[in-house]
Amino acid sequence: ASGILDLSENNRPLYRKYPYDLKSSNILLGPYIFPSKHYQKKENNSDRNGNVIFFGGIPKGSHREKVLTKLSINPNIWIDKTHLFGDALSEKLGKYESILNVHVRDAVYTEAPRLLCAVLHGKALISEELSEPFEEGVHYVNIDRIGEHIDQRTVENLFHFSSNYFSFSDGLAQ
């Protein structure tokens, strides 16, 4: 089968200008990238309680660069600028309690890479506001609360919610 997987439900209006129905055209909207509910996630093996890591691109002059510059004075936040991926990224993430998500643009949307890594590694996600259906305080911790205690239920809620509603296998089945 062939089709399009658009990671953002927010892009639905963009497809309205085309003369076809989303369902019959094999266009799936939403972050259907997560493991199924049967996936055994990695345990949070952090020995650095309270420490937070950001990884990803930091475009010059972007909202992300401005926010990370302000946060860089916090000694518990590691901003990785080495562009790690794969096993090297996995090993690095194992040393941190939480993953930090900062939007490139000053807007409400959901970036998949850090969300997926949080789920796969059993980490708490600390983020600016995410788009629906993710709920602050239920699935992630607001960025303004860096340094506060993170309830382990937030980590579990994110894992179960994303696996139950946005697994890759469920997306393919639609």
Side-chain angles (χ1 to χ4, degrees):
S2 62
I4 296 172
L5 171 61
D6 188 320
L7 298 179
S8 178
E9 175 67 34
N10 293 339
N11 287 336
R12 183 174 295 279
L14 299 175
Y15 292 98
R16 288 194 183 118
K17 63 183 172 183
Y18 296 102
Y20 47 74
D21 177 56
L22 290 179
K23 280 288 190 191
S24 64
S25 300
N26 291 327
I27 298 174
L28 181 63
L29 296 169
Y32 291 96
I33 57 170
F34 297 96
S36 71
K37 53 188 167 240
H38 306 293
Y39 176 79
Q40 185 62 43
K41 68 176 176 53
K42 295 180 182 181
E43 291 302 315
N44 186 349
N45 58 356
S46 170
D47 59 355
R48 303 182 66 164
N49 213 8
N51 285 356
V52 179
I53 184 170
F54 172 85
F55 63 93
I58 307 172
K60 293 281 184 211
S62 67
H63 168 77
R64 180 179 287 165
E65 181 184 49
K66 292 171 188 164
V67 171
L68 291 174
T69 298
K70 288 178 189 172
L71 292 175
S72 67
I73 62 168
N74 184 327
N76 292 325
I77 298 175
W78 174 256
I79 299 169
D80 187 88
K81 296 179 181 177
T82 61
H83 304 289
L84 292 174
F85 62 95
D87 290 340
L89 177 60
S90 255
E91 184 176 328
K92 186 78 160 186
L93 294 177
K95 299 176 181 176
Y96 292 85
E97 179 185 43
S98 306
I99 294 174
L100 176 63
N101 183 59
V102 178
H103 302 314
V104 171
R105 295 183 319 273
D106 188 11
V108 177
Y109 58 100
T110 300
E111 294 101 341
R114 283 162 294 282
L115 191 63
L116 179 60
C117 282
V119 167
L120 292 178
H121 291 84
K123 304 293 181 180
L125 181 69
I126 298 174
S127 183
E128 294 176 301
E129 185 178 356
L130 298 177
S131 61
E132 291 182 359
F134 297 99
E135 295 180 51
E136 178 187 325
V138 175
H139 304 116
Y140 67 96
V141 175
N142 187 284
I143 195 169
D144 294 332
R145 297 187 55 211
I146 287 179
E148 294 181 19
H149 171 75
I150 297 174
D151 189 330
Q152 187 62 25
R153 287 178 292 192
T154 305
V155 176
E156 293 302 318
N157 289 342
L158 176 62
F159 176 77
H160 291 297
F161 180 74
S162 57
S163 295
N164 287 330
Y165 295 99
F166 296 108
S167 74
F168 185 69
S169 58
D170 287 346
L172 291 177
Q174 289 192 23

